[in-house]
Amino acid sequence: MRSKIFLAYIAIMVAGSSAFAQKLPSKKNILQTLRLTNQYFMNKWPDPGKSIITNKERPSNIWTRAVYYEGLLALNTIDPQKKYYDYAVDWGEKHKWGLNGGTATKNADNHCCGQTYIDLYLIDKKEERIKDIKTSIDNVIASGKNDDWSWIDAIQMGMPVFTKLGNLYNDTKYFEKMYEMYSYTKNNHGDKGLYNREDHLWWRDKDFDPPYKEPNGEDCYWSRGNGWVVMALVRAMEELPKSDPHYAEYLQDFKDMCTALVKIQRPDGLWTASLHDPNHYGGKEITGTACFTYGFAWGVRKGILDKKIYQPSLTKAWNAMVKDAVHKNGFLGYVQGTGKEPKDGQPVTYTSTPDFEDYGLGCFLLAGTEVYKLRK
């Protein structure tokens, strides 16, 4: 397998050698793109409390919308605007700062909104903003169980909440529980954990553990699923004290994943939905790409990743997303719909509308914000 990946890496480097001549757009142009895509969404959803109707009706504080607000508040750090803050606060107020499933929920998808609730609390310390998310996470800790994150998406939905609460209350019990749950997902779920230490990538859940294979015989590593892990590690390490006893493990996992990912980037700058089978629904897709771009840009900016290797890669990725996916009105194409594997939400095209438009934009805003910070 490693020889295959090495040969693929060489082929990609040769095919994509022109990427080294690429440059990031100006900060002004990056910001214009972020404003355009975000405004499209705010125009489409003027009432942030309105329920989401697809195959059924769902409240708008579910994980898909919560990921969008992660991106919006990131955008607000480089482009502070009252309308962004008001839009996020209105969302929280419409849901009474509550969680889908209530405070008894242990589902990480339902905890994701807490990331934004806590960030908004830090701006205006109104206790109602964090009461329910703290209660729910405290219930998770009190349960004594560590197996709630049985799918890797959950790492992103839940992990940063623990980091934020640990900092807010100066209480390391949140950091320790976060590690126990992360470690269980990594080492225990499925047969021997969901992380493959050989390939440095993650199976989405136990359904994809070996002997499950993609059509080409390789393991199934879903792009966005691995993207969620990259995003989670960045968002956790951004706020976790470096003195934390598990920080080094998070950092090593992040670097190992990035090393694996940079080698399998498409020549056009994107990543395929199936990371080790580029012919299995192998078209353009930007949600995984946005997550990886976010991680690469953060890593380069922090001096964690080698600029000579990763800046050309993230530059190529950002330029490809803007060129290939952003419509003139701000709509994002090539967003894979919800699911758990490469075949879900297909076909993914320039004009296809996913079942939810929010999380793809959230990932894109996070990526763009980090690229903006990196641009000098």
Side-chain angles (χ1 to χ4, degrees), residues 73-141:
L73 290 195
L75 174 59
N76 194 57
T77 64
I78 62 169
D79 185 32
Q81 293 200 35
K82 185 175 183 296
K83 67 178 180 179
Y84 300 160
Y85 174 77
D86 290 346
Y87 192 61
V89 169
D90 192 19
W91 177 63
E93 290 179 342
K94 290 286 176 63
H95 295 289
K96 298 181 179 180
W97 306 98
L99 316 178
N100 185 32
T103 56
T105 186
K106 295 174 68 181
N107 188 321
D109 286 350
N110 297 332
H111 290 145
C112 191
C113 60
Q115 298 186 45
T116 296
Y117 292 172
I118 296 168
D119 286 346
L120 292 173
Y121 170 82
L122 293 173
I123 296 173
D124 187 358
K125 291 183 171 57
K126 296 180 178 180
E127 288 299 320
E128 66 266 24
R129 297 185 177 185
I130 57 169
K131 179 181 177 182
D132 282 6
I133 185 59
K134 182 181 185 301
T135 298
S136 188
I137 297 300
D138 285 348
N139 287 339
V140 171
I141 294 174

Side-chain angles (χ1 to χ4, degrees), residues 255-271:
K255 292 194 292 187
D256 287 344
M257 287 188 72
C258 290
T259 298
L261 289 163
V262 76
K263 296 176 182 179
I264 53 176
Q265 186 178 20
R266 288 164 48 117
D268 65 2
L270 306 177
W271 278 265

Side-chain angles (χ1 to χ4, degrees), residues 26 29 75 78 81-82 96 104 137 148 151 171 177 209 223 232-233 235 247 257 336 354:
S26 66
N29 286 343
L75 174 59
I78 62 169
Q81 293 200 35
K82 185 175 183 296
K96 298 181 179 180
I137 297 300
D148 292 322
W151 70 111
D171 191 339
K177 186 65 174 181
D209 276 357
S223 180
L233 290 170
R235 291 179 67 76
Y247 184 94
M257 287 188 72
Q336 185 182 13

Side-chain angles (χ1 to χ4, degrees), residues 13-48:
M13 289 298 99
V14 172
S17 60
S18 62
F20 289 87
Q22 289 192 33
K23 293 182 179 180
L24 287 171
S26 66
K27 295 179 82 169
K28 178 181 178 181
N29 286 343
I30 295 169
L31 190 56
Q32 285 177 340
T33 300
L34 297 178
R35 286 174 173 172
L36 173 68
T37 54
N38 182 66
Q39 195 59 51
Y40 167 85
F41 184 81
M42 290 180 66
N43 290 344
K44 185 169 183 176
W45 292 87
D47 178 3

Side-chain angles (χ1 to χ4, degrees), residues 301-317:
R301 185 169 66 85
K302 293 290 185 176
I304 293 169
L305 299 178
D306 188 335
K307 181 177 181 180
K308 292 180 180 179
I309 296 173
Y310 291 93
Q311 182 139 334
S313 175
L314 72 90
T315 297
K316 185 166 58 167

